[in-house]
Amino acid sequence: MDDGSPSPSTNFRFRRVLLKISGEALMGASSFGIDMNACANLARGVAAASQAGAEICLVIGGGNIFRGLAGAAQGMDRAQADHMGMLATVMNALAMQSALEQIGVPTRVQSAIPMPTVCEQFIRRKAIRHMEKGRIVIFAAGTGNPYFTTDTGAALRAAEMDCDAMLKGTQVDGVYSEDPKKNPEAVRYDQLDYQEVLARDLRVMDASAVSLLRDSDIPIVVFDLHEPGALNKVLTGEGVCTVIGNS
């Protein structure tokens, strides 16, 4: 019986994944806000992977609109500022949903902060079923709690969704010892252990996110989000990336 689920057509190294991208990735050439052309470019890469049979969920940061820590630094109550940052991630999630649906990809947004007139509330079993049916699920509003970053929210959702890996799309093709844009001599790593990332303070993502993924034995894959076809290549084990896992 056909239950609406896609038929796998590709040999994936990672089939079910959570893709974490920054809010800044949605800005394009702008210095603030959402560029729908940038959203469309990202959507095409996600669509190609989904159509090949991958099960994909996303978490998008909110730094292109409002960052909680920045608000707190200006004297705003930290919890209030973090809630504003969570709302920014909902805006980004809705923009990405629009971009995906414009190219025919069924997408659901689930928010940790209930807002039923705008999107679904996060329900784990429902999210898993959406992914099994080939829908992209975008998780918004972080964990729903202040004092936690979207990295930690993404790690939590990756564990809850029983993902094979958490993919972090960045501006460079992996993890380096230093910022390669500032130091051309920076060393690039193909493989790292979770503990190495924490001990060297490599700032791939915050320590609580790395620790959660380590405890759940979910590898972190860091790759260049802007390379054409990069997502599909990483999923099949062919792309240039850094894989962080247990040694």
Side-chain angles (χ1 to χ4, degrees), residues 1-246:
M1 180 183 293
D2 184 3
D3 63 357
S5 302
S7 299
S9 57
T10 302
N11 291 321
F12 289 111
R13 180 181 183 185
F14 309 111
R15 180 169 294 280
R16 177 180 292 177
V17 297
L18 185 142
L19 173 61
K20 167 65 169 62
I21 59 180
S22 68
E24 287 83 355
L26 273 58
M27 293 194 306
S30 305
S31 58
F32 175 83
I34 299 170
D35 181 336
M36 287 309 295
N37 287 327
C39 290
N41 287 334
L42 293 170
R44 283 191 287 269
V46 172
S50 177
Q51 288 161 3
E55 296 178 3
I56 304 173
C57 50
L58 280 77
V59 168
I60 307 172
N64 57 318
I65 299 173
F66 188 87
R67 194 181 296 277
L69 282 174
Q74 297 179 55
M76 187 178 294
D77 176 79
R78 171 65 189 275
Q80 192 88 331
D82 279 354
H83 279 112
M84 291 174 66
M86 291 178 217
L87 295 178
T89 70
V90 177
M91 296 172 68
N92 284 340
L94 294 173
M96 182 56 66
Q97 179 183 39
S98 178
L100 285 161
E101 291 186 338
Q102 283 178 13
I103 56 175
V105 182
T107 307
R108 300 292 185 271
V109 174
Q110 289 199 348
S111 171
I113 298 175
M115 46 184 75
T117 59
V118 174
C119 57
E120 296 180 3
Q121 184 175 351
F122 170 67
I123 299 173
R124 176 178 175 270
R125 287 177 178 270
K126 194 170 184 179
I128 290 173
R129 189 58 180 150
H130 284 322
M131 293 171 65
E132 289 173 345
K133 288 188 172 184
R135 298 167 185 155
I136 305 300
V137 181
I138 308 175
F139 297 116
T143 66
N145 301 292
Y147 300 97
F148 290 95
T149 67
T150 50
D151 279 345
T152 301
L156 175 62
R157 296 293 183 245
E160 290 178 304
M161 294 300 105
D162 196 23
C163 288
D164 299 323
M166 174 171 161
L167 277 51
K168 183 158 186 180
T170 66
Q171 309 297 317
V172 292
D173 59 355
V175 179
Y176 286 77
S177 57
E178 300 176 59
D179 186 342
K181 295 181 180 179
K182 296 179 180 178
N183 180 8
E185 302 300 318
V187 177
R188 183 185 169 282
Y189 304 104
D190 288 325
Q191 298 274 344
L192 283 167
D193 182 86
Y194 300 107
Q195 200 57 42
E196 289 180 281
V197 172
L198 295 170
R200 298 183 191 180
D201 195 23
L202 292 175
R203 300 185 182 276
V204 176
M205 55 183 63
D206 66 74
S208 59
V210 175
S211 297
L212 196 161
L213 292 166
R214 176 194 61 195
D215 294 344
S216 303
D217 197 18
I218 298 173
I220 306 165
V221 183
V222 183
F223 70 104
D224 184 352
L225 183 66
H226 303 290
E227 179 193 341
L231 179 57
N232 252 341
K233 292 176 184 176
V234 167
L235 290 173
T236 56
E238 299 173 357
V240 178
C241 61
T242 298
V243 179
I244 302 165
N246 286 315

